[in-house]
Amino acid sequence: QFRSIFKEFPYFNYIQSKALDDLLYTDRNFVICAPTGSGKTVMFELAITRLLMEAPMPWLNIKIVYMAPIKALCSQRFDDWREKFGPIGLSCKELTGDTEMDDLFEIQHAHIIITTPEKWDSMTRRWRDNSIVQLVRLFLIDEVHVIKDENRGATLEVVVSRMKTVQSSLSRLSENHVTVPSLRFVAVSATIPNAEDIAEWLSDGKMPAVCLKIDEDHRPVKLRKVVLGFPCNDNQTEFKFDLTLNYKITGIIQTYAEQKPALVFCATRKGVQQAASVLAKDAKFLLSIEQKQRLQRYANSLKDSKLRDLLMYGVAYHHAGMEISDRKIVEGAFTSGDLPVLFTTSTLAMGVNLPAHLVVIKSTMHYVGGMFQEYSETDILQMIGRAGRPQFDTTATAVIMTRLSTREKYIQMLSGADIIESSLHRHLVEHLNAEIVLHTITDVNVALEWIRSTFLYIRALKNPTHYGFSSGLDKIGIEGKLQELCLKNLNDLSSFDLIRMDKANNFKPTETGRLMAWYYIAFDTVKQFFTIKGTETLNELVTMISSCTEFLDVKLRTNEKKMLNSLNKDKNKITIRFPMEGKIKTREMKVNCLIQAQLGCIPIQDFTLTQDTGKIFRNGIRVTRWLTDFLASRKNNFSALLNSLILAKCFRCKLWENSLHVSKQLEKIGVSLSNAMVNAGLTSFKKIEDTNARELELILNRHPPFGNQIKESVLHLPKYELDIEQLAKYSDILAEILVTIKLTNFEQLQTKRTAPDFHYVTLVIGDADNQVIFKQKIMDSVLLKTGNWTKKIEVKRAVKSEDFSINLISSDYVGLDVQQAYTAFYLGPKTLGSKVIINQKLKADSSLDTYHGSPQRLPAAKIDTGGRSKQEITYTKYGNRECSHHCKNKDVCGHDCCKTGVPSKSEMKGDSKFSSYLADLRSRNSISSVPPVKRLKMQMLNQSQNVDLKKFVFKPKSLMPALPR
């Protein structure tokens, strides 16, 4: 029955003799090494079939993980397998993007999980236990040769080693009569010389993995590979070299295409269009009348006029920046054979299956991260894999156009002569920390056992010099060197309090180490933020984040400097909020500038800068979220913590916290409509809510009911109110406040909510000494139960001042935050600004009784032997005089001045600034429930009124200041 399924494959008999029995009738680990385009995917499907044959239905507790290095490959496999396995009851889930909150929930119900190494690593780091990992019965690794990639290879290696370690720990349980299903690895690779090393790495100890090598002779369509080298002067830029290759394409197509479809891969989208235009002028394709008529029909449906003209010459281009409808038309024309030549970018090789008789790779350099760099081996092999149409051809040709200096390199690559080495030793510190956090590694011995489970160990024994070890070392010597490398990295982690090591070399993760693993943060970034002072402003935090290792792949290009300098400082344009000194001349300054431009809604008229900005914000969201949790675990950093919370929200919203473009956060409102609303003065949610729906439609040039929809969105955003009340329980060092958060539109939110279900606010309170008094996340779902949230909080007396800051920061919206200042009352003299008055403990027990006893009953003032009250003694001791209030018991009344007195009149005259500061604090306390914006307007109104009145005051000559002589 299974043999009949695979009869469609030309090389089925070869698979039957070499692979079918091992894949379909055993559970042995399996490595297959075969040329790209030879249909290796069928091996994975055979392994899945074997698992389904063995596992009892309804297959509830089985998971299959398919891992590929490129998102486009994952998407392709997801579409294919959802269609194939869906009808028999297997559900597929694709996990390739940034981590989402519902990932864990979704994969709990999925049978086949399709993911990238980075995503699987990130997710398994976050799980509190290995329950889902333990359900994985089949682990499929596509393009396993990527393990040699310097940047991504280490992640692939660590993920597989983690799965092996989990499996070995489960195997130890099975020795204690606990039945544990085995985990099977199946890996496929392009042609590599040391596939046996991969097989050795994936062996389970009981039985070696099967290693199958399929050479070019068994490819369904025989592939001819040609590498052409072209001269390139030292002073010739990559751009110019790329342009010169456009004029070589005509000759290559005439030589190798054989009047069959040709696919040409170019480095950039612009290069795709330029090369297509050159070929349309140079080459004349022999098109039949029917073919011309069909091309005319395709052309009539295109939106791109330039593409329409080219199509009539038998030439077209295809890239991700085109209209989707145009892309589909071009793909249809090429698949049907009506279009002789298609120019495209390398992304087509990954995402769309458009085979051709001839594949040309025009230049082995492509434009990534603002600079030209060589294609990875996976990219090259994927592009070459598009050569050959099994239903039409028996042979195909792939041509690589490169410089003379690199021709030999690509000849060697295509022959499969490059030995695969590990790159784990370059990224060992981050991965060791992750394994300690996951409790995969608990002591030095386990760490060494883990090292032995890696591909690094296999290759270090065979090629020690590649890893910096002496060639004369035996196995024990190499293991000793690996142990030294491991201990050095562990000591680095310990020195920054990321792990704790006892005398017996047992490891325990710290909270900081957990956060580093949880958020996937580089070790160098953690080291950088260990120098934080705790008083950093928003500007300083942006500067620090711009220097993170996570943005190393962002490059500063010469042609960008003019635009970046204009964003930084320009008298005639809107510029960034915190301009930097001097010219933009480093990568860090560029990152800083792009972050601020995005947050400030400043348009960036450059495609590559826009792409860089997207990349910066994808990583920046993760880094800023880590930073808030990192600072929350440290002390004396209220200012930095508050600013990091605000900055993390700014990164998610892509707006500054004080932005006028709050409307950009609403559905259906983009940059242009947001600008229209700002120009109309609609700069807050309250103003939008108060505006008539028809007026909104006039402002936005939209038809009804668009205005109603916008108003509905704003009406159903959560609106918070802070209420602070001091309780009567206080002493000279402690006060107690009652903080209440009210959801003012509680009833409206019961039926509909604009904010997502996981939206929350963070309550953070700090004092004048930069200490964090209180911090807690409060979910909207909690507030929606009763409409409010209340908490009693003890506030220790700060040295500098009795006032403190209370902040309610939304997780996902700019314009919803509530921030207030409050001044607490304590027994004893007040702390006045920078003048610190140390309160002596009262000999009587009144303060202790007040704090520990009932807050309703406070002791009366006691009389000393001189017949004076204790208040009078305090007044005279600190040079104050008694206030004019006639309170019966000045210990109980609510006046601060009744306890500590007031400064003498002469002092008040001499320190008017200080008096106004006190008055300001009192007024802030009295109107703490008034929102900050309204309070500011009231203050400005009062000031303007005072200034106007002074003009009419008559000043006697005796009070007039003496005129200068």
Side-chain angles (χ1 to χ4, degrees), residues 241-258:
F241 178 68
D242 194 62
L243 284 171
T244 61
L245 296 182
N246 288 340
Y247 300 92
K248 314 286 184 185
I249 296 290
T250 306
I252 290 170
I253 288 174
Q254 287 172 347
T255 306
Y256 299 105
E258 300 174 4

Short mmCIF file of all heavy atoms in Angstrom, two decimals, residues 241-258:
data_model
loop_
_atom_site.label_atom_id
_atom_site.label_comp_id
_atom_site.label_asym_id
_atom_site.label_seq_id
_atom_site.Cartn_x
_atom_site.Cartn_y
_atom_site.Cartn_z
N PHE A 241 29.82 46.20 -10.41
CA PHE A 241 30.05 44.84 -10.88
C PHE A 241 28.72 44.17 -11.21
O PHE A 241 28.56 43.49 -12.23
CB PHE A 241 30.81 44.03 -9.84
CG PHE A 241 31.04 42.60 -10.22
CD1 PHE A 241 31.88 42.26 -11.27
CD2 PHE A 241 30.39 41.56 -9.54
CE1 PHE A 241 32.09 40.93 -11.64
CE2 PHE A 241 30.59 40.24 -9.89
CZ PHE A 241 31.45 39.93 -10.94
N ASP A 242 27.73 44.38 -10.34
CA ASP A 242 26.40 43.81 -10.54
C ASP A 242 25.77 44.34 -11.84
O ASP A 242 25.13 43.60 -12.58
CB ASP A 242 25.51 44.14 -9.34
CG ASP A 242 24.24 43.31 -9.31
OD1 ASP A 242 24.34 42.08 -9.22
OD2 ASP A 242 23.15 43.90 -9.42
N LEU A 243 25.99 45.64 -12.11
CA LEU A 243 25.45 46.24 -13.34
C LEU A 243 26.11 45.65 -14.58
O LEU A 243 25.44 45.43 -15.60
CB LEU A 243 25.64 47.76 -13.31
CG LEU A 243 24.70 48.55 -12.40
CD1 LEU A 243 25.14 50.00 -12.31
CD2 LEU A 243 23.26 48.46 -12.90
N THR A 244 27.41 45.39 -14.52
CA THR A 244 28.11 44.84 -15.69
C THR A 244 27.59 43.44 -16.04
O THR A 244 27.57 43.05 -17.21
CB THR A 244 29.63 44.76 -15.45
OG1 THR A 244 29.89 43.91 -14.33
CG2 THR A 244 30.23 46.13 -15.19
N LEU A 245 27.15 42.69 -15.01
CA LEU A 245 26.64 41.33 -15.26
C LEU A 245 25.32 41.34 -16.02
O LEU A 245 24.97 40.34 -16.66
CB LEU A 245 26.47 40.57 -13.93
CG LEU A 245 27.74 40.29 -13.12
CD1 LEU A 245 27.41 39.49 -11.87
CD2 LEU A 245 28.79 39.55 -13.94
N ASN A 246 24.58 42.46 -15.96
CA ASN A 246 23.30 42.55 -16.69
C ASN A 246 23.50 42.30 -18.18
O ASN A 246 22.65 41.72 -18.85
CB ASN A 246 22.66 43.92 -16.50
CG ASN A 246 22.10 44.11 -15.10
OD1 ASN A 246 21.86 43.13 -14.39
ND2 ASN A 246 21.90 45.35 -14.70
N TYR A 247 24.66 42.73 -18.70
CA TYR A 247 24.93 42.65 -20.14
C TYR A 247 25.50 41.29 -20.54
O TYR A 247 25.74 41.04 -21.72
CB TYR A 247 25.86 43.78 -20.56
CG TYR A 247 25.26 45.15 -20.29
CD1 TYR A 247 25.51 45.81 -19.09
CD2 TYR A 247 24.39 45.75 -21.19
CE1 TYR A 247 24.91 47.04 -18.81
CE2 TYR A 247 23.79 46.96 -20.93
CZ TYR A 247 24.06 47.61 -19.73
OH TYR A 247 23.47 48.81 -19.46
N LYS A 248 25.73 40.41 -19.54
CA LYS A 248 26.21 39.05 -19.84
C LYS A 248 25.05 38.05 -19.89
O LYS A 248 25.23 36.92 -20.35
CB LYS A 248 27.19 38.58 -18.75
CG LYS A 248 28.25 39.59 -18.36
CD LYS A 248 29.32 39.73 -19.41
CE LYS A 248 30.43 40.68 -18.94
NZ LYS A 248 31.43 40.93 -20.00
N ILE A 249 23.87 38.47 -19.40
CA ILE A 249 22.74 37.55 -19.27
C ILE A 249 22.27 37.02 -20.62
O ILE A 249 21.98 35.82 -20.78
CB ILE A 249 21.56 38.25 -18.56
CG1 ILE A 249 21.92 38.63 -17.12
CG2 ILE A 249 20.30 37.37 -18.56
CD1 ILE A 249 22.06 37.48 -16.17
N THR A 250 22.24 37.89 -21.62
CA THR A 250 21.73 37.49 -22.95
C THR A 250 22.51 36.30 -23.49
O THR A 250 21.93 35.30 -23.94
CB THR A 250 21.83 38.67 -23.94
OG1 THR A 250 21.16 39.80 -23.39
CG2 THR A 250 21.21 38.32 -25.28
N GLY A 251 23.85 36.38 -23.42
CA GLY A 251 24.70 35.29 -23.93
C GLY A 251 24.49 34.00 -23.16
O GLY A 251 24.47 32.90 -23.76
N ILE A 252 24.32 34.10 -21.84
CA ILE A 252 24.14 32.89 -21.01
C ILE A 252 22.82 32.21 -21.35
O ILE A 252 22.76 30.97 -21.49
CB ILE A 252 24.21 33.27 -19.51
CG1 ILE A 252 25.65 33.65 -19.15
CG2 ILE A 252 23.70 32.13 -18.63
CD1 ILE A 252 25.82 34.25 -17.78
N ILE A 253 21.75 33.00 -21.53
CA ILE A 253 20.44 32.41 -21.85
C ILE A 253 20.47 31.76 -23.24
O ILE A 253 19.95 30.66 -23.44
CB ILE A 253 19.34 33.49 -21.76
CG1 ILE A 253 19.10 33.83 -20.27
CG2 ILE A 253 18.05 33.02 -22.42
CD1 ILE A 253 18.15 34.97 -20.04
N GLN A 254 21.14 32.43 -24.19
CA GLN A 254 21.24 31.85 -25.54
C GLN A 254 22.04 30.55 -25.52
O GLN A 254 21.76 29.63 -26.28
CB GLN A 254 21.89 32.86 -26.48
CG GLN A 254 20.97 34.03 -26.84
CD GLN A 254 21.68 35.12 -27.62
OE1 GLN A 254 22.91 35.13 -27.71
NE2 GLN A 254 20.90 36.05 -28.19
N THR A 255 23.05 30.46 -24.64
CA THR A 255 23.92 29.28 -24.59
C THR A 255 23.26 28.11 -23.87
O THR A 255 23.37 26.96 -24.32
CB THR A 255 25.25 29.63 -23.87
OG1 THR A 255 25.83 30.77 -24.51
CG2 THR A 255 26.21 28.45 -23.90
N TYR A 256 22.57 28.37 -22.74
CA TYR A 256 22.14 27.27 -21.87
C TYR A 256 20.62 27.03 -21.80
O TYR A 256 20.20 25.98 -21.33
CB TYR A 256 22.64 27.52 -20.43
CG TYR A 256 24.15 27.59 -20.32
CD1 TYR A 256 24.80 28.81 -20.15
CD2 TYR A 256 24.92 26.43 -20.37
CE1 TYR A 256 26.18 28.88 -20.04
CE2 TYR A 256 26.30 26.49 -20.25
CZ TYR A 256 26.93 27.71 -20.09
OH TYR A 256 28.29 27.76 -19.98
N ALA A 257 19.80 27.96 -22.28
CA ALA A 257 18.35 27.83 -22.05
C ALA A 257 17.68 26.80 -22.94
O ALA A 257 16.66 26.22 -22.55
CB ALA A 257 17.67 29.18 -22.21
N GLU A 258 18.21 26.61 -24.14
CA GLU A 258 17.65 25.63 -25.08
C GLU A 258 16.17 25.91 -25.37
O GLU A 258 15.34 24.99 -25.45
CB GLU A 258 17.82 24.20 -24.57
CG GLU A 258 19.27 23.80 -24.34
CD GLU A 258 19.41 22.43 -23.69
OE1 GLU A 258 18.36 21.77 -23.48
OE2 GLU A 258 20.54 22.03 -23.38
#
